[in-house]
Amino acid sequence: MTFGAFISTRRKEAKLNLRDTAKHFGISNGYLCDIEQGRRPAPEEAFVERISSFLELDKQEHEILLDLTADSRKTVPADLPDYTGLIYLQSFAPDMDLQEFEERVCCVMENRMLVDVIDRALLRLKRYPDRGELYYEILSKQFIHRFNSTEKELLDELNMERSVFYDRKREAIFLLSLCLFGYAVPELQEELEMPRL
């Protein structure tokens, strides 16, 4: 199965039409159709993550999607670079103290896990039915993006009064905490408790 066929199948199973799906992602119907028909390669990783979230794929389906993305783009799957990097370092950096190496790797993996949990919570917040997109925009632009927007820039961009902005920001932080500790962290705990094959 190709990346496009996988997306098309899951979209149809969710009873979503091509037009509404394309509109949700802000792309043309033709572009999405080209992806589904295999006339274009899979999009960038961030966009693939959005697709996975939108189609509400489970962990196994998400991993399949990452593998199909890599096949389409002729790259290493997004969930493998960490592993291949570890093999490389272990093979080609034998002079490094193994315990120090393991500590560094654990630290990197823990940081990545934290980022993944926060991303999950943010995506769930974005899907919140009442102002979810606005909450997501406030938090991501002020705290998450590499170049954070200032308060004044956000007020101008959102065309909002300061008091309303503070109310929405407070609501966003509260809902993010619910998404984080009510959904994302418990999901991660379940994944960590699952037996590995």
Side-chain angles (χ1 to χ4, degrees):
M1 178 175 278
T2 65
F3 174 84
F6 182 83
I7 295 300
S8 178
T9 302
R10 292 303 182 270
R11 177 181 60 76
K12 290 172 183 171
E13 286 174 357
K15 297 185 179 10
L16 299 167
N17 66 39
L18 186 84
R19 179 179 296 147
D20 291 340
T21 304
K23 185 177 179 182
H24 173 81
F25 290 114
I27 59 175
S28 70
N29 299 346
Y31 179 71
L32 182 57
C33 183
D34 285 349
I35 290 173
E36 288 187 353
Q37 297 300 316
R39 293 186 291 261
R40 288 182 182 259
E44 296 295 321
E45 185 180 341
F47 193 78
V48 171
E49 293 294 330
R50 289 178 56 208
I51 292 171
S52 178
S53 176
F54 179 71
L55 295 175
E56 298 179 348
L57 302 181
D58 62 28
K59 183 174 173 48
Q60 184 178 7
E61 291 172 324
H62 180 74
E63 288 175 2
I64 291 169
L65 183 66
L66 292 178
D67 291 342
L68 293 173
T69 301
D71 287 346
S72 173
R73 299 179 66 79
K74 299 184 181 7
T75 60
V76 176
D79 55 346
L80 284 185
D82 295 331
Y83 177 73
T84 54
L86 293 177
I87 291 173
Y88 174 82
L89 286 174
Q90 189 172 18
S91 301
F92 296 102
D95 57 332
M96 183 181 243
D97 178 40
L98 186 59
Q99 185 175 357
E100 179 186 349
F101 174 71
E102 287 176 353
E103 287 172 5
R104 286 184 181 184
V105 169
C106 286
C107 184
V108 168
M109 298 305 284
E110 287 170 1
N111 287 336
R112 176 157 184 193
M113 190 173 16
L114 289 172
V115 169
D116 288 344
V117 168
I118 291 169
D119 281 345
R120 286 182 189 185
L122 280 169
L123 289 173
R124 190 171 287 271
L125 174 68
K126 189 175 185 178
R127 292 192 311 243
Y128 187 71
D130 186 28
R131 299 188 192 111
E133 294 275 340
L134 175 65
Y135 295 148
Y136 176 83
E137 190 172 2
I138 289 171
L139 293 179
S140 62
K141 287 185 176 178
Q142 191 161 36
F143 301 113
I144 306 297
H145 286 173
R146 183 173 180 196
F147 301 106
N148 297 332
S149 299
T150 65
E151 184 179 298
K152 183 171 178 3
E153 291 170 338
L154 274 173
L155 289 172
D156 291 342
E157 186 177 332
L158 298 173
N159 194 23
M160 209 179 265
E161 290 184 25
R162 186 178 305 272
S163 61
V164 174
F165 173 75
Y166 283 127
D167 287 343
R168 298 298 169 258
K169 183 176 167 183
R170 187 178 65 247
E171 292 166 2
I173 291 170
F174 174 74
L175 287 171
L176 178 65
S177 67
L178 290 178
C179 292
L180 186 61
F181 296 109
Y183 296 99
V185 170
E187 286 172 0
L188 177 66
Q189 286 174 330
E190 284 179 20
E191 288 175 18
L192 293 175
E193 292 170 0
M194 288 175 62
R196 300 206 180 251
L197 298 176

